[in-house]
Structure formats: C-alpha cells, structure tokens
Amino acid sequence: MAYLFARIRMWAAHHRLTWWMAAGVLALITGLAVDAAASAPSCPTTVAASEDDRPGPRSGERAIALDRRADRLTLEPGDRVDLYAVDDVSASGRLLVSAARVLDLDDTTITVAVPRRDVAQVTTARRWGDVALALVPPD
C-alpha cells in the first residue's frame, strides 16, 4: 500500500508542476490581452481649425431663437453674448447663460447656441419676460 501512495504522490507532484506552468502561461496571455484591449488607441478625430465657424450647435448645445427688438446690437455669427432674464417685476436682470454663441440672425430673430442644461431657464425667461443680450468682448 505504501508503494501505491508513493506512486500517487509522485504523479501528483509531476502533474502539479505541469498544472501551475499551464496556469501561469494562461494568466500571462490573458493579462497581455487585457492590457492590449485596455490601451487600444481611440479613433483619431479630425478637429476643424476653428470650431466656432460651424453654423450649427455643437454637442451639448441647443439652438434657441430669440426676438430682436429695435435696440439691436451689431452682431455677426460667431460672436459671443450673455443672456439676461428681464421682466417687469424686478428692477435687475438675472444672468441666464454666459458667452452663448450667435449662430444666425436676421431682422427679427437671433439664434444662439445654449448649453443643454440652460435651455429650460432660457425658455422660462422668454415666457415670463424678455431675454436681453450683452455682447462679450473677444479674448
């Protein structure tokens, strides 16, 4: 019986070495594959020389059309304006959006790009009063 146990111990020792070598190789290959997948370069994006020249809103922005009154600012597409809520109740205005980008304008309306998180404030301000524009000087 001792001979049988000795043979089983030798077999287990021999196969244990093979098992651990196979497990180590598998772990190494898996680790290399995970590292390669995790460090894959992202797709290259082509950025235009000037993103402000694009006529439409960018990602995260929404275009809102506002009324233009007789007391107009001299604006061009690409200019930046601050939007203030003005109503008959309060004597002062409240800043709604800082440095909104002018997308388009004509004689009666002006379209500005507003960050998505501020759209509700601007539309509510339009409902209860006026939205005044203040030209932001270029940097």
Side-chain angles (χ1 to χ4, degrees), residues 36-65:
S39 64
S42 60
C43 296
T45 56
T46 304
V47 179
S50 175
E51 288 187 5
D52 287 345
D53 292 343
R54 292 193 300 168
R58 289 184 253 166
S59 176
E61 292 180 335
R62 300 296 183 261
I64 294 182

Side-chain angles (χ1 to χ4, degrees), residues 22-38:
V25 169
L26 182 62
L28 180 66
I29 292 172
T30 304
L32 292 174
V34 169
D35 285 345

Side-chain angles (χ1 to χ4, degrees), residues 57-104:
R58 289 184 253 166
S59 176
E61 292 180 335
R62 300 296 183 261
I64 294 182
L66 303 172
D67 297 330
R68 289 186 78 185
R69 301 190 175 251
D71 53 348
R72 300 180 196 162
L73 292 172
T74 304
L75 298 172
E76 295 178 9
D79 286 344
R80 297 283 180 161
V81 292
D82 290 339
L83 303 178
Y84 288 91
V86 181
D87 57 23
D88 296 334
V89 179
S90 64
S92 62
R94 180 173 53 95
L95 180 64
L96 298 171
V97 178
S98 178
R101 191 166 41 97
V102 175
L103 299 176
D104 191 25

